[in-house]
Structures are given as C-alpha cells and as structure tokens.
C-alpha cells in the first residue's frame, strides 16, 4: 500500500522522520550526505544563534500611480530611461518621446550613451572589491543594470499595443521606420554605471570611470563547451566563437570573484521567418536545436524586416547565439562580455552563486516558462579568493544539473553530461557536450526533470545556505493528471507535490536544503515555503499545517506562509519573481503580476528562520502597470536597489495610464531607485 502524501509530508517536516531517513541513507540522501532539518521555526546547521528581529512595518496593497513605501522608509531615483551616462551626451527629453522622435537616427546613436529602458536585474560592486571591504563599500561603487526589452507602444507615438496579432501593422511600420529598430537595439543590453551616496542620497556619476553601455550590437565571446560548435556557426561568424549583442536580459546575479551574470530570457521574441524556413530546410540538426525553444514567423518587434540577422530564412542559427548567461567584468570596460555556454541555453532567470564545501562554486538558475525546469551548475575547479585571475573562466568547466522533485520531499540533481554509454548520446541526438548545453531543455526532458510553474529567480541564502526558488504562476496547471504536448514534448499537466495548486495564478516559493548542507550535493530535501495569495479573503483557507498542502486538493486562493499562524499579520502577495537577501538572511521578494488579482506589484520581506518565519510584510507598492525587479543590497544593508520596470504598461504614449516617476503629463519611464530607512539604519 502506498503511503498517503499527507503522511509523507508530515513525516518529512518532523525532526524525527528526517533524522531517521538520514540514518537509513536511502530515502533522502546518498552515502556521506546528511540531512538538514527544515521544520518551520527550526534552525539548520548554519542558523543557530541567528538574531530575532521584530517584524518590519507594512504597507497595504495599492493601485496608486506612485512608488509607495512603508512608514519610516524613503527612496530616490538614481537613473531613469534616457538619462545621459556621459557628460557630453544629452538626456532624452519628454518632448522627444511624446513627439515620436525615437524613430530618428540621432536618437538611436544617443541611446547608446543613455540609460536603457525596462531596467531589471541589478548587481552592485562596491569600492573595495567583490566582498565590499572598506569604508566606501556602502556608499560608492559600480552598478550593473540590465534592460530586458522595449514596449513600442510606450516608446513610439501612434503604436498599437504590442502583440503577435498586430504583426502585420508592425511590419509595415518597421519597414517605414528602420531607425526605430536601431533605437530598440540600443535600448537593450546592460548599463554599467558609477553611483555614490551623499547627503542628497544616491547619485549617478556621469562619465565615471568604467561607465559602459552594452547593447544588442556589442560584440561578445562565446565560451565553454559550445564555443566553435557547428550549430553556432553563422555567415557572420563561421568560427562559432562570437555573438553580436545581448538582449532579453531578465534577472541577474554576481559571481564570487566580482563579475556580473546577466540572463538572456525570452530571446524567441526577436526572430522571424521560422515557419517559412522550417518548411523548406533539410538542416535537421538546426531544426532539432530549435524544437524546445520555438520561434515565430512574425516576431513581436519586427527586427527581421530591417536587420537580416534576425530573419531565420537568412541566418537560421543566429538565434542559437542567445539564451545564455553572460558574464561581464564591471571593472574592465575593455573586456568583451562572455556567454558562458556551460550553464546551458534556456529562458534564463538569474544566476546566483554560492561556495560549496570543497571550494567549488554552485550557480542556481531558473527557466522562466510554464512547465520548465530548475538548474544548477557546479564548477570543476575551486574558487581562489587570493588570485582573481585564476577564477576568470571557472564557469566554462563543470557539471550542469536539472532538478527532480519527489513527493516524499526528497530530490535529485540530474547531471546533463554527454556520455555515449548513458542517455545523452548520439543515438538520442546529443553528439557532444556542446549539443547537451545548446539543447539543455531537451536533455532535461530525457533525464526526467520536474516541469515547474515558471521557475524564476533561484537564490541561495548566504546566511543559512538554503535555496529559495520563485515559481511565479502557471494558469495551465490542471487538478488531475493528464498528459499532453507542451513546447514539443509530452508531459503531465496535473498538479504534483512541488507544484501542488491547479490554476496556479498566484505562484509559490519552494525552499530547498542541499544534502550535507553542501551546494555541490547531488541530493536535496525541499518543502513549500509560501503559497501566495490573499489571506484577507475569508472565502479561502489560510493553511498552517504543511500536511494540508496536497496536490490537486488546493483551491485557487488557498495560502500558506511557512507555517506562520496569524493571517491578520501577513501581507497578500501574487506572482513572486526576483528574490534577494539582506545581510541578516531575510528573504526579499518582488512581484510580477498583471495587477488584476490583487493590486499593483510590490516588494516584500519575510524571515526564513526563527519565531517570525513566514511573517511576510509588504515594504513597497509600485506605480500603475509596473513590475518591481532587482532586490540588490549594499554590503552594509543600508540601501536596497530596485528596478521599477514598465510603469504605464497597459497604456500608450498617446493614452498613458501612468506618469511615474516625474508626474504631471510626463511619459512614464522605467527607473532605478535606492530605498533606505529614514533614520539611516540597515533595512
């Protein structure tokens, strides 16, 4: 007789059950890997003696067109879309946006020297090095900010709302306005800026040392096992060693050696001509490489009508140059960005590193799409803190893993390694490790990884070592098991232990505890840390007992806050996206919902240990239409940097729904902000 899931879950969350399983050595971990007890309010091997802080003040959900903060906090705008990064460049004016000037050639050239649009992932590198040593660590440094995408309707006058259904309108418009494509390409990528804090707050230092703009046309190196691979060879680069530009950059991370790791996510939105090419080609290897990352016949942006490299009929392999983690040295503006192919190709959401027990480095990543996977990469070589140059190519050699979650709370990291004697071999379409990383999704399919509810940021807690993964939502998750084809492979759409809620409109967060508390482990335990939703809704259940989280048994609005027992003392939350940790180890969450389910998106904080574990509080509410991204702290914990992305989404330049941050009749602009306490203490 199979043990009921609720009994398994209750046993998993009891100390006696976990320790018993560890002694047996078969349920949770392999030989030599000890369990770490994850009970609510308990302490793992790194958490003993952690400070117990009173709860932070909280803010009610809002629909106001403003960035609102809880009492005792303030913010300042550090940089807005179009702000000049060099003294010899003019900033983008409101009038230029409103009169449609972005279709003109000079505006594209200026955008290459201005702060890009739709800022997202952040990396702060303090003066004093990667660890932030010295008195300047909390008040000046370099900020790397990526720029995910553009919204034509918020940049160009007379544009319809974006969408594939309007592709014909966009094609005609794009062909008539080719410089608009050049502007869009310049607005993507990364801004590397100098910032410092003075009496007025945080300021952008124009023309600061190392100031840099990386765009969709900046030359990058391809590094790692796919470098030089046949699938990466194009007409422009027959060597397969270089890629032009980076775009669709979503969340980000930092390496332990002081570099910025930016994530190429929805790159499929930028290429057109797929159906025409696919129906006529006999290049079956390239067809197979695109199978799990399908492209469009008409792209949402129309770049293929102006720039031939985005037309798959001309360059069918160009798209394979994108979908990678890109490493950037923030201190060397002459160094080419490097696409680290060993970390796999998929819709990357973040790349967050932590040191394993033996000195190797683990990098955690999510694949932000419905029914996709969670990944980890462990370097072959050890991190050397005394010789920074020795770490330069650590991310080129190691093992890429995909996660499989079992119903009993155990899990395994499945190695995506080419092996003619194993499942990833030439008979299954993987001729080399280059094929494995280029077709990482297909490799994970074959090994049996667990399809998740849009895995976004995956972040290790630097204090406890536990790993938290945001599953933002999945409205297509079904209550009962049913197999169907999604993105060219057959999977079960039904709720499961790790994705327990059908029609998961609010999302959830999973807590993962590596075997032997070691980031290089190949086995782990896991539990649901948060089921997002609105605890104020009395028609829904506020769950306190983890045993009640049964797959397929949950209602759309049921919530769970890591076992916290008082629904009156927690904030509602929908669609967790980016994650971050303050120096004390509290989890910070920013959200990406459509605004209809609760209110505007926000920033939240929740303790992951101690008596207040699970008491989530809302610290900030974003402007109308915006998504909040970033969650990056200074080393002293006194400043939280956030990206306010796409304020005004849902409107157009002609009919705006937001005027943030400048107010009045100004067009909305995505902006980087710095949040601090009014009394100057750490957040």
């Amino acid at each position: 007789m199979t043990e009921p899931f609720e009994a398994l879950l209750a046993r998993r969350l009891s100390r006696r059950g976990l320790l018993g399983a560890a002694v047996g050595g078969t349920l949770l971990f392999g030989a030599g890997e000890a369990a770490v007890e994850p009970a609510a309010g308990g302490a793992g091997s790194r958490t003993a003696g952690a400070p117990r802080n009173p709860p932070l003040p909280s803010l009610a959900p809002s629909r106001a067109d403003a960035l609102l903060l809880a009492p005792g906090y303030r913010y300042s705008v550090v940089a807005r879309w179009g702000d000049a990064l060099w003294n010899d460049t003019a900033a983008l004016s409101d009038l230029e946006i409103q009169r449609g000037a972005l279709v003109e050639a000079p505006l594209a050239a200026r955008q290459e020297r201005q702060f890009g649009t739709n800022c997202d992932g952040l990396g702060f590198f303090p003066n004093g090095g990667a660890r932030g040593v010295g008195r300047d660590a909390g008040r000046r440094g370099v900020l790397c900010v990526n720029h995910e995408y553009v919204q034509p309707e918020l940049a160009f006058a007379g544009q319809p709302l974006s969408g594939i259904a309007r592709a014909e309108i966009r094609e005609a418009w794009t062909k008539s306005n080719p410089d608009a494509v050049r502007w869009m390409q310049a607005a993507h990528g990364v801004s590397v800026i100098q910032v410092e804090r003075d009496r007025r707050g945080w300021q952008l230092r124009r023309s600061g040392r190392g100031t840099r703009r990386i765009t969709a046309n900046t030359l990058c190196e391809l590094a790692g096992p796919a470098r030089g691979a046949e699938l990466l060879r194009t007409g422009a680069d027959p060597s397969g060693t270089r890629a032009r530009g980076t775009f669709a950059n979503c969340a980000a991370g930092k390496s332990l050696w002081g570099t910025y790791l930016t994530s190429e996510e929805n790159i499929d939105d930028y290429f057109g001509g797929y159906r025409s090419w696919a129906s006529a080609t006999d290049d079956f290897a390239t067809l197979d490489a695109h199978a799990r990352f399908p492209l469009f016949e008409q792209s949402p942006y129309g770049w293929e009508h102006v720039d031939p490299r985005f037309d798959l009929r001309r360059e069918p392999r160009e798209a394979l140059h994108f979908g990678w983690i890109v490493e950037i040295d923030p201190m060397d503006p002459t160094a080419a960005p490097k696409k680290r192919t060993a970390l796999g190709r998929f819709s990357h959401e973040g790349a967050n590193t932590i040191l394993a027990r033996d000195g190797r480095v683990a990098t955690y990543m999510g694949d932000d799409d419905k029914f996709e996977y969670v990944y980890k990469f462990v370097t072959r070589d050890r991190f050397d803190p005394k010789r920074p140059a020795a770490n330069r190519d650590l991310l080129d050699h190691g093992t890429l893993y995909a996660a499989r979650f079992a119903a009993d709370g155990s899990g395994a990291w499945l190695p995506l390694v080419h092996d003619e004697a194993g499942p990833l071999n030439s008979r299954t379409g993987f001729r080399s490790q280059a094929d494995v990383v280029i077709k990482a999704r297909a490799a994970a399919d074959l090994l049996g990884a667990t399809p998740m509810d849009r895995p976004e940021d995956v972040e290790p807690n630097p204090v406890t070592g536990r790993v938290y993964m945001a599953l933002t939502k999945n409205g297509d998750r079904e209550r009962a098991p049913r197999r169907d084809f999604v993105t060219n492979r057959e999977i079960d759409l039904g709720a499961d232990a790790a994705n327990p809620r059908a029609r998961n409109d609010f999302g959830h967060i999973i807590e993962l505890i590596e075997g032997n508390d070691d980031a290089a482990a190949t086995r782990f335990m896991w539990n649901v840390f948060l089921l997002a939703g609105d605890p104020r809704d009395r028609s829904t259940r506020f769950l306190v007992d983890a045993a009640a989280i049964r797959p397929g048994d949950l209602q759309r609005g049921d919530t769970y806050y890591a076992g916290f027992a008082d629904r009156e003392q927690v904030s509602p939350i929908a669609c967790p996206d980016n994650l971050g940790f303050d120096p004390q180890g509290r989890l910070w969450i920013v959200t990406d919902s459509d605004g209809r389910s609760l209110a505007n998106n926000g920033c939240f904080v929740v303790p992951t240990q101690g008596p207040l574990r699970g008491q989530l509080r809302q610290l900030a509410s974003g402007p109308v239409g915006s998504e909040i991204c970033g969650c990056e702290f200074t080393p002293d914990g006194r400043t939280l940097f956030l990206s306010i992305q796409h304020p005004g989404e849902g409107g157009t330049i002609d009919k705006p729904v937001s005027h943030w941050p400048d107010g009045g009749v100004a067009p909305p602009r995505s902006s980087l902000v710095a949040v601090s306490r009014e009394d100057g203490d750490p957040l």
Side-chain angles (χ1 to χ4, degrees), residues 537-557:
D537 183 354
R538 294 292 173 169
S539 68
T540 65
R541 294 184 300 167
F542 182 75
L543 306 175
V544 175
D545 185 355
I549 305 175
R550 294 186 291 267
D553 213 31
L554 296 168
Q555 299 304 310
R556 173 179 177 269

Side-chain angles (χ1 to χ4, degrees), residues 61-276:
S62 171
R63 296 188 184 276
D65 186 30
L67 178 56
L68 304 176
L69 300 179
Y73 294 84
R74 62 186 178 186
Y75 80 91
S76 60
V77 175
V78 181
R80 309 171 308 154
W81 158 41
D83 281 354
L85 302 186
W86 284 270
N87 290 326
D88 61 358
T89 302
L92 178 66
S93 71
D94 292 345
L95 181 60
E96 286 173 318
I97 300 172
Q98 291 165 330
R99 72 174 179 83
L102 296 180
V103 300
E104 301 168 5
L107 273 292
R110 277 170 52 199
Q111 180 61 73
E112 293 178 348
R113 298 176 64 79
Q114 295 168 337
F115 194 70
T117 191
N118 279 338
C119 45
D120 198 312
L122 305 174
F124 179 70
F125 300 88
N127 286 16
R131 297 186 178 184
V133 178
R135 66 184 184 89
D136 287 343
R139 59 189 185 93
R140 61 170 58 98
V142 175
L143 257 174
C144 292
V145 188
N146 64 28
H147 305 287
E148 184 176 2
Y149 65 109
V150 299
Q151 291 161 292
E153 69 276 12
L154 292 176
F156 307 117
Q159 279 285 299
L161 290 172
S162 58
I164 289 296
R166 301 164 181 84
E168 291 184 2
I169 298 173
R170 184 150 295 116
E171 177 180 356
W173 184 88
T174 302
K175 289 179 177 178
S176 300
N177 297 280
D179 286 311
V181 172
R182 299 184 183 99
W183 176 85
M184 286 189 274
Q185 292 175 346
H188 280 75
V190 177
S191 294
V192 181
I193 59 177
Q194 289 277 345
V195 294
E196 63 181 1
R197 186 177 64 194
D198 59 22
R199 294 178 181 177
R200 299 169 295 167
W202 284 91
Q203 309 293 326
L204 167 68
R205 290 182 57 201
R206 292 178 180 84
S207 298
R209 180 183 177 187
T211 299
R212 186 180 189 187
R213 278 287 283 121
I214 296 164
T215 73
N217 289 303
T218 301
L219 198 62
C220 304
E221 289 187 26
L222 291 164
R227 176 179 172 86
E230 182 180 352
L231 284 170
L232 298 186
R233 297 173 188 171
T234 66
D237 177 31
S239 70
T241 60
R242 297 185 300 176
R244 184 162 296 281
T246 183
F247 46 80
N249 285 268
C250 198
K254 297 184 295 186
S255 72
L256 300 178
W257 47 96
T259 57
Y260 179 63
L261 305 175
T262 183
S263 313
E264 295 178 337
E265 190 191 44
N266 296 318
I267 61 91
D268 43 323
D269 287 344
Y270 295 82
F271 296 88
Y274 179 72
R275 188 172 62 248
S276 300

Side-chain angles (χ1 to χ4, degrees), residues 379-398:
T379 61
R380 180 192 66 188
D381 302 321
R382 291 174 171 81
F383 168 63
D384 187 343
K386 296 181 179 179
R387 295 191 305 136
N391 306 309
R392 184 176 297 128
D393 296 319
L394 272 183
L395 296 180
D396 283 344
H397 307 283

Side-chain angles (χ1 to χ4, degrees), residues 546-613:
I549 305 175
R550 294 186 291 267
D553 213 31
L554 296 168
Q555 299 304 310
R556 173 179 177 269
D558 290 348
T559 52
Y560 172 78
Y561 283 63
F564 192 79
D566 188 351
R567 71 192 302 165
E568 302 292 342
Q569 296 297 317
V570 294
S571 297
I573 183 173
C575 304
D577 189 339
N578 294 161
L579 306 175
F581 287 94
D582 60 28
Q584 299 178 59
R586 294 176 300 188
L587 176 64
W588 292 72
I589 308 164
V590 290
T591 62
D592 179 17
S593 75
D594 58 15
R596 294 193 296 266
S597 55
L598 289 177
N600 295 352
N601 283 301
C603 177
F604 304 78
V605 58
V606 56
T608 61
Q609 55 181 322
L612 299 182
R613 172 180 161 97

